[in-house]
PDB file of all heavy atoms in Angstrom:
ATOM      1  N   THR A  93       0.772   7.545  12.934  1.00  0.00           N
ATOM      2  CA  THR A  93       0.591   6.018  12.635  1.00  0.00           C
ATOM      3  C   THR A  93       0.148   5.202  13.736  1.00  0.00           C
ATOM      4  O   THR A  93      -0.173   4.056  13.542  1.00  0.00           O
ATOM      5  CB  THR A  93       1.997   5.552  12.095  1.00  0.00           C
ATOM      6  OG1 THR A  93       2.909   5.743  13.114  1.00  0.00           O
ATOM      7  CG2 THR A  93       2.378   6.203  10.811  1.00  0.00           C
ATOM      8  N   ALA A  94       0.123   5.749  14.951  1.00  0.00           N
ATOM      9  CA  ALA A  94      -0.536   4.997  16.138  1.00  0.00           C
ATOM     10  C   ALA A  94      -2.034   4.986  16.213  1.00  0.00           C
ATOM     11  O   ALA A  94      -2.606   4.323  16.877  1.00  0.00           O
ATOM     12  CB  ALA A  94       0.057   5.619  17.406  1.00  0.00           C
ATOM     13  N   GLY A  95      -2.663   5.788  15.333  1.00  0.00           N
ATOM     14  CA  GLY A  95      -4.050   5.823  15.222  1.00  0.00           C
ATOM     15  C   GLY A  95      -4.633   4.524  14.506  1.00  0.00           C
ATOM     16  O   GLY A  95      -3.967   3.708  14.190  1.00  0.00           O
ATOM     17  N   ASP A  96      -5.961   4.698  14.178  1.00  0.00           N
ATOM     18  CA  ASP A  96      -6.615   3.714  13.556  1.00  0.00           C
ATOM     19  C   ASP A  96      -6.120   3.621  12.102  1.00  0.00           C
ATOM     20  O   ASP A  96      -6.084   4.608  11.346  1.00  0.00           O
ATOM     21  CB  ASP A  96      -8.186   3.795  13.621  1.00  0.00           C
ATOM     22  CG  ASP A  96      -8.734   3.685  14.922  1.00  0.00           C
ATOM     23  OD1 ASP A  96      -8.122   2.920  15.747  1.00  0.00           O
ATOM     24  OD2 ASP A  96      -9.781   4.240  15.290  1.00  0.00           O
ATOM     25  N   TRP A  97      -5.931   2.326  11.612  1.00  0.00           N
ATOM     26  CA  TRP A  97      -5.627   2.039  10.228  1.00  0.00           C
ATOM     27  C   TRP A  97      -6.832   1.238   9.704  1.00  0.00           C
ATOM     28  O   TRP A  97      -7.383   0.374  10.508  1.00  0.00           O
ATOM     29  CB  TRP A  97      -4.326   1.263  10.033  1.00  0.00           C
ATOM     30  CG  TRP A  97      -3.094   1.986  10.323  1.00  0.00           C
ATOM     31  CD1 TRP A  97      -2.688   2.582  11.439  1.00  0.00           C
ATOM     32  CD2 TRP A  97      -1.955   2.006   9.441  1.00  0.00           C
ATOM     33  NE1 TRP A  97      -1.449   3.121  11.285  1.00  0.00           N
ATOM     34  CE2 TRP A  97      -0.953   2.723  10.073  1.00  0.00           C
ATOM     35  CE3 TRP A  97      -1.768   1.565   8.086  1.00  0.00           C
ATOM     36  CZ2 TRP A  97       0.345   2.977   9.397  1.00  0.00           C
ATOM     37  CZ3 TRP A  97      -0.487   1.850   7.481  1.00  0.00           C
ATOM     38  CH2 TRP A  97       0.506   2.559   8.232  1.00  0.00           C
ATOM     39  N   TRP A  98      -7.168   1.268   8.455  1.00  0.00           N
ATOM     40  CA  TRP A  98      -8.142   0.370   7.986  1.00  0.00           C
ATOM     41  C   TRP A  98      -7.748  -0.048   6.526  1.00  0.00           C
ATOM     42  O   TRP A  98      -7.067   0.762   5.750  1.00  0.00           O
ATOM     43  CB  TRP A  98      -9.551   0.938   7.874  1.00  0.00           C
ATOM     44  CG  TRP A  98      -9.694   2.310   7.165  1.00  0.00           C
ATOM     45  CD1 TRP A  98     -10.107   2.454   5.793  1.00  0.00           C
ATOM     46  CD2 TRP A  98      -9.460   3.634   7.653  1.00  0.00           C
ATOM     47  NE1 TRP A  98      -9.995   3.839   5.525  1.00  0.00           N
ATOM     48  CE2 TRP A  98      -9.588   4.481   6.604  1.00  0.00           C
ATOM     49  CE3 TRP A  98      -8.951   4.130   8.869  1.00  0.00           C
ATOM     50  CZ2 TRP A  98      -9.467   5.868   6.678  1.00  0.00           C
ATOM     51  CZ3 TRP A  98      -8.674   5.439   8.963  1.00  0.00           C
ATOM     52  CH2 TRP A  98      -9.085   6.334   7.957  1.00  0.00           C
ATOM     53  N   ARG A  99      -7.924  -1.324   6.183  1.00  0.00           N
ATOM     54  CA  ARG A  99      -7.595  -1.854   4.909  1.00  0.00           C
ATOM     55  C   ARG A  99      -8.594  -1.402   3.835  1.00  0.00           C
ATOM     56  O   ARG A  99      -9.830  -1.418   4.125  1.00  0.00           O
ATOM     57  CB  ARG A  99      -7.432  -3.380   4.862  1.00  0.00           C
ATOM     58  CG  ARG A  99      -6.854  -3.860   3.733  1.00  0.00           C
ATOM     59  CD  ARG A  99      -6.506  -5.375   3.723  1.00  0.00           C
ATOM     60  NE  ARG A  99      -7.744  -6.065   3.896  1.00  0.00           N
ATOM     61  CZ  ARG A  99      -7.912  -7.211   4.653  1.00  0.00           C
ATOM     62  NH1 ARG A  99      -6.776  -7.825   5.127  1.00  0.00           N
ATOM     63  NH2 ARG A  99      -9.005  -7.825   4.710  1.00  0.00           N
ATOM     64  N   ILE A 100      -8.133  -0.997   2.648  1.00  0.00           N
ATOM     65  CA  ILE A 100      -8.965  -0.599   1.524  1.00  0.00           C
ATOM     66  C   ILE A 100      -8.625  -1.535   0.454  1.00  0.00           C
ATOM     67  O   ILE A 100      -7.443  -1.805   0.101  1.00  0.00           O
ATOM     68  CB  ILE A 100      -8.917   0.812   1.136  1.00  0.00           C
ATOM     69  CG1 ILE A 100      -7.422   1.268   0.935  1.00  0.00           C
ATOM     70  CG2 ILE A 100      -9.392   1.822   2.290  1.00  0.00           C
ATOM     71  CD1 ILE A 100      -7.288   2.711   0.468  1.00  0.00           C
ATOM     72  N   GLY A 101      -9.584  -2.133  -0.251  1.00  0.00           N
ATOM     73  CA  GLY A 101      -9.366  -3.011  -1.387  1.00  0.00           C
ATOM     74  C   GLY A 101      -9.004  -4.307  -0.870  1.00  0.00           C
ATOM     75  O   GLY A 101      -8.823  -4.633   0.286  1.00  0.00           O
ATOM     76  N   PRO A 102      -8.985  -5.332  -1.731  1.00  0.00           N
ATOM     77  CA  PRO A 102      -8.710  -6.651  -1.409  1.00  0.00           C
ATOM     78  C   PRO A 102      -7.276  -6.960  -1.050  1.00  0.00           C
ATOM     79  O   PRO A 102      -6.412  -6.353  -1.438  1.00  0.00           O
ATOM     80  CB  PRO A 102      -9.126  -7.473  -2.582  1.00  0.00           C
ATOM     81  CG  PRO A 102      -9.016  -6.526  -3.673  1.00  0.00           C
ATOM     82  CD  PRO A 102      -9.246  -5.245  -3.125  1.00  0.00           C
ATOM     83  N   SER A 103      -6.959  -8.052  -0.263  1.00  0.00           N
ATOM     84  CA  SER A 103      -5.665  -8.547   0.018  1.00  0.00           C
ATOM     85  C   SER A 103      -5.220  -9.319  -1.373  1.00  0.00           C
ATOM     86  O   SER A 103      -5.996  -9.754  -2.125  1.00  0.00           O
ATOM     87  CB  SER A 103      -5.680  -9.519   1.136  1.00  0.00           C
ATOM     88  OG  SER A 103      -5.908  -8.871   2.228  1.00  0.00           O
ATOM     89  N   SER A 104      -3.926  -9.272  -1.506  1.00  0.00           N
ATOM     90  CA  SER A 104      -3.394  -9.962  -2.652  1.00  0.00           C
ATOM     91  C   SER A 104      -2.035 -10.581  -2.236  1.00  0.00           C
ATOM     92  O   SER A 104      -1.466 -10.167  -1.264  1.00  0.00           O
ATOM     93  CB  SER A 104      -3.188  -9.104  -3.828  1.00  0.00           C
ATOM     94  OG  SER A 104      -2.948  -9.640  -5.040  1.00  0.00           O
ATOM     95  N   GLY A 105      -1.527 -11.555  -3.120  1.00  0.00           N
ATOM     96  CA  GLY A 105      -0.208 -12.024  -2.747  1.00  0.00           C
ATOM     97  C   GLY A 105       0.181 -12.909  -3.870  1.00  0.00           C
ATOM     98  O   GLY A 105      -0.521 -13.337  -4.740  1.00  0.00           O
TER      99      GLY A 105
END
Side-chain angles (χ1 to χ4, degrees):
T93 58
D96 291 334
W97 288 58
W98 57 96
R99 191 171 62 207
I100 55 177
S103 293
S104 192

